Amino acid sequence: MLADSTNTQANGEVLWRFGSFVLWESQRRLERRGQSIRLGSRSFDLLLQLLKRAGEVISNEEFLAAVWSGVVVEEASVRVHMSNLRKALGTPDPIDDCREWIANVPLRGYRFVGRVACEAVQAGVMPATQRTAPQACEFARIPARLSRLIGRNAEVGRVIEALASRRLVTVVGSGGIGKTSVAIDVAMRQQASAPGLVGFVDLAPLHSADPVICAIACALGTAPDAPEPLQAIVQRLAGREVLLLVDSCEHVIEPLSRVLIQLLAALPSLRILATSREALRIEGEHVLRLTPLALPEGEPASLEEAMCSPAVELLVERAWAAGATAFEDCHRAMLARICRRMDGIPLAIELVAARLGAQAIADLVHRMDDPMRLYWTGTRAAIPRHRSLAAALDWSVALLNETELKLFRRLSVYSSRFDVDSALVLTADDMDPERATDALISLATKSLVVFDPEHAGKPYRLLDTTRNYAQLLLAQSKENHAMPSRHPGPPSPSPPLLAARVRLPESASGPKISFWPQWSWMDLSPHSLVLAP
Ligand SMILES: Nc1ncnc2c1ncn2[C@@H]1O[C@H](COP(=O)(O)OP(=O)(O)O)[C@@H](O)[C@H]1O
Ligand SMILES: [Mg+2]
């Protein structure tokens, strides 16, 4: 069916927005900057499936079932229509943060890689010819996951269920355990299945004294410098069904709680999904504690059985991605052992998996068991889970060369995404740019820096847990007080960050880490790093 841009009234319509495109679901219309795009019916349906499950890989079988249901066709049909669709969509604009809209994932299917916002429009509210840009597109978009979420179906289900009856749900757990990953998955599903708006605000870049309300205002598309930002938010969201995902709350719990209490009181149709290392302790809050990924029970009898454990599945998937050769049955016990050693913490597993591209698993297990090489005695943290993540970080960092270690420490000044040039700013005084670039790539290979090609402009970032750790290393290093004065800070931070007045760590003298209280469990003394040969 072709697009129709006449005066049709949207009747309980659902809009899907990506880049400069708007797809009107019931009217089966696709527009770019107000211009209709001609799209065949099958291609339209393929696009709708992709948008509804943005970020997920959809197989040919799934497309055939959804788009050609009841009709027997060759798998090639998917390819042909997908090719038409890709042609019709063209290349994303630079601000769209992706190189292509639809990625072909070899042997698995297709994935929509662009950011998608979904919005419900009330019947009769918006005549097609008088549309103004609905406000959903002005919400900060949910960051797309680059890889699939492994083994969290039950947890995701529990969060969704809780959100159906509670207005504030907090996913609580230690750093690196997967809170953000689960919350993003929930938000994406809600966006795809339920009408309403989903906003996202990452509080990780905030200094504890920064006004939380400004960050939330930015994320919701209101002016952060409005005289009464809270009122501006309330006015904008009044009467709208909004789910706000507030990520990384732990270091701003006090001021955040005050703001959330006010927002929840003023906006009866607002729901909040928060992630934090500790509960917000607000009345009505529903806390869901995230436990580590399930480990194999006992000794697995086969590789297949070991892979039934999500922890092993994650280890194997990340190891393959790092270039490890295929695992066989004989590796099952070692894989299970690594995951147990990492206590099923996804971030710790990812860090170790990154090494399997260049190290034999037997050697890795052997080194992991050698207390002389791996420093994980009980003095570091009372909770074993924390100890194993600290150990995984120590271990990864202990194997960095001097250039990589220096760069890693310094990169902690960037609390949001950055590009190669921004990284080189930090090393301009004392490092050859080629070596610094190699070091950056090496850090990404070791999973200490996340490389996210969908953000072509600024593809690098540190996970907040990793950044906290690098910050501590920086605080302990002699460079601590030299850094910010030599380097004015991240070049051109994004507007929301500017508005939230993100600061670099201050560094008057000596270690100054009090603004990351959540790291009190990780007592990093300089000798806690063991430099393995
Ligand atoms: N269930 C999962 N499947 C795949 N990767 C995961 C899973 N949980 C966490 N990760 C990965 O582990 C790392 C840490 O997860 P994250 O969600 O940032 O943890 P947290 O928010 O608790 O600090 C990220 O790189 C994330 O992609
Ligand atoms: Mg997180």
Side-chain angles (χ1 to χ4, degrees):
M1 189 186 296
L2 296 185
D4 167 21
S5 59
T6 56
N7 245 358
T8 323
Q9 291 267 315
N11 185 13
E13 179 62 286
V14 176
L15 266 68
W16 297 87
R17 300 178 167 277
F18 56 99
S20 49
F21 290 92
V22 183
L23 180 145
W24 300 69
E25 187 173 329
S26 304
Q27 299 175 47
R28 296 181 63 80
R29 191 172 66 204
L30 177 70
E31 292 179 357
R32 184 175 204 182
R33 298 196 184 95
Q35 297 291 315
S36 293
I37 305 288
R38 284 177 164 265
L39 213 53
S41 174
R42 301 287 189 204
S43 298
F44 184 94
D45 288 333
L46 287 178
L47 176 59
L48 194 53
Q49 290 301 314
L50 285 160
L51 295 176
K52 286 184 174 176
R53 293 173 57 187
E56 280 178 52
V57 178
I58 308 180
S59 66
N60 283 353
E61 294 78 46
E62 289 175 287
F63 280 122
L64 288 173
V67 176
W68 282 268
S69 122
V71 185
V72 180
V73 289
E74 294 290 319
E75 279 200 10
S77 304
V78 176
R79 209 171 48 240
V80 171
H81 287 278
M82 197 61 81
S83 156
N84 289 343
L85 175 58
R86 288 167 122 177
K87 258 189 225 140
L89 298 182
T91 313
D93 294 330
I95 56 158
D96 292 329
D97 265 357
C98 56
R99 285 194 202 127
E100 54 182 356
W101 292 116
I102 300 166
N104 182 0
V105 184
L107 303 177
R108 293 186 52 204
Y110 297 88
R111 187 164 68 96
F112 194 86
V113 288
R115 310 269 181 236
V116 181
C118 175
E119 183 187 0
V121 180
Q122 295 295 313
V125 168
M126 276 194 190
T129 51
Q130 296 171 14
R131 285 186 300 276
T132 54
Q135 293 169 345
C137 59
E138 293 156 30
F139 277 25
R141 286 177 283 190
I142 309 166
R145 277 193 59 78
L146 285 180
S147 49
R148 72 193 179 95
L149 188 73
I150 294 172
R152 288 298 198 187
N153 279 342
E155 289 85 348
V156 166
R158 273 205 295 280
V159 178
I160 290 175
E161 198 184 319
L163 279 170
S165 56
R166 315 286 183 126
R167 294 185 52 215
L168 170 60
V169 175
T170 310
V171 178
V172 171
S174 54
I177 205 152
K179 301 179 294 295
T180 302
S181 307
V182 164
I184 285 179
D185 197 74
V186 168
M188 295 295 272
R189 287 177 196 229
Q190 295 270 296
Q191 192 171 51
S193 65
L197 305 176
V198 181
F200 172 80
V201 56
D202 178 12
L203 299 182
L206 254 65
H207 186 285
S208 55
D210 284 324
V212 171
I213 187 72
C214 293
I216 296 181
C218 278
L220 293 174
T222 56
D225 51 359
E228 295 289 343
L230 193 99
Q231 267 176 22
I233 295 174
V234 171
Q235 268 173 11
R236 185 176 180 84
L237 301 190
R240 300 170 140 217
E241 293 266 332
V242 173
L243 172 66
L244 178 61
L245 167 47
V246 190
D247 194 25
S248 301
C249 303
E250 51 274 333
H251 58 300
V252 287
I253 283 188
E254 290 295 317
L256 175 69
S257 300
R258 285 193 292 276
V259 169
L260 295 190
I261 288 169
Q262 287 172 303
L263 283 175
L264 286 165
L267 294 164
S269 45
L270 171 69
R271 287 173 305 148
I272 293 169
L273 172 58
T275 76
S276 175
R277 292 182 197 171
E278 54 178 297
L280 307 185
R281 288 184 291 277
I282 296 177
E283 200 187 330
E285 177 185 25
H286 185 74
V287 174
L288 288 167
R289 262 172 222 289
L290 205 56
T291 50
L293 290 177
L295 296 162
E297 283 173 23
E299 205 58 37
S302 62
L303 180 63
E304 204 181 336
E305 192 184 312
M307 294 272 290
C308 291
S309 138
V312 175
E313 200 182 344
L314 176 64
L315 176 63
V316 168
E317 197 158 307
R318 295 291 185 272
W320 278 342
T325 47
F327 295 109
E328 293 170 17
D329 266 348
C330 61
H331 297 124
R332 65 190 188 277
M334 286 186 273
L335 290 167
R337 189 171 184 152
I338 294 172
C339 291
R340 281 200 197 100
R341 210 58 197 263
M342 295 302 131
D343 282 310
I345 300 172
L347 178 56
I349 292 174
E350 284 189 338
L351 288 166
V352 173
R355 302 167 58 140
L356 287 174
Q359 187 176 12
I361 183 166
D363 184 47
L364 189 142
V365 170
H366 174 69
R367 280 164 186 262
M368 213 174 61
D369 285 342
D370 182 348
M372 294 306 289
R373 286 173 192 270
L374 193 55
Y375 196 93
W376 44 20
T377 57
T379 55
R380 306 275 309 283
I383 304 171
R385 206 156 63 230
H386 294 167
R387 216 158 55 217
S388 45
L389 176 56
L393 282 162
D394 276 5
W395 198 22
S396 297
V397 166
L399 294 171
L400 298 181
N401 65 33
E402 202 183 320
T403 315
E404 291 163 348
L405 179 60
K406 231 184 230 178
L407 178 62
F408 177 60
R409 285 195 303 249
R410 294 177 186 181
L411 287 175
S412 69
V413 302
Y414 291 133
S415 51
S416 51
R417 296 176 188 282
F418 57 90
D419 57 10
V420 176
D421 288 343
S422 317
L424 296 186
V425 165
L426 303 174
T427 56
D429 289 359
D430 58 352
M431 255 185 241
D432 169 59
E434 290 285 312
R435 283 185 61 204
T437 309
D438 286 350
L440 178 63
I441 294 166
S442 173
L443 290 172
T445 328
K446 292 173 172 130
S447 285
L448 286 165
V449 168
V450 178
F451 173 65
D452 183 348
E454 279 182 22
H455 291 265
K458 293 183 178 180
Y460 297 99
R461 76 188 159 94
L462 267 64
L463 289 176
D464 54 345
T465 308
T466 318
R467 182 165 51 86
N468 294 169
Y469 179 90
Q471 257 173 349
L472 286 167
L473 296 184
L474 182 65
Q476 288 166 350
S477 74
K478 293 198 183 96
E479 300 170 344
N480 185 32
H481 51 272
M483 279 291 300
S485 55
R486 273 193 313 176
H487 307 292
S492 56
S494 60
L497 295 184
L498 267 180
R501 275 179 249 130
V502 171
R503 281 189 284 252
L504 297 177
E506 285 160 19
S507 53
S509 62
K512 196 165 188 179
I513 56 174
S514 55
F515 48 90
W516 292 113
Q518 71 273 25
W519 279 79
S520 51
W521 55 266
M522 193 183 261
D523 168 28
L524 285 174
S525 50
H527 55 265
S528 69
L529 286 177
V530 175
L531 294 173

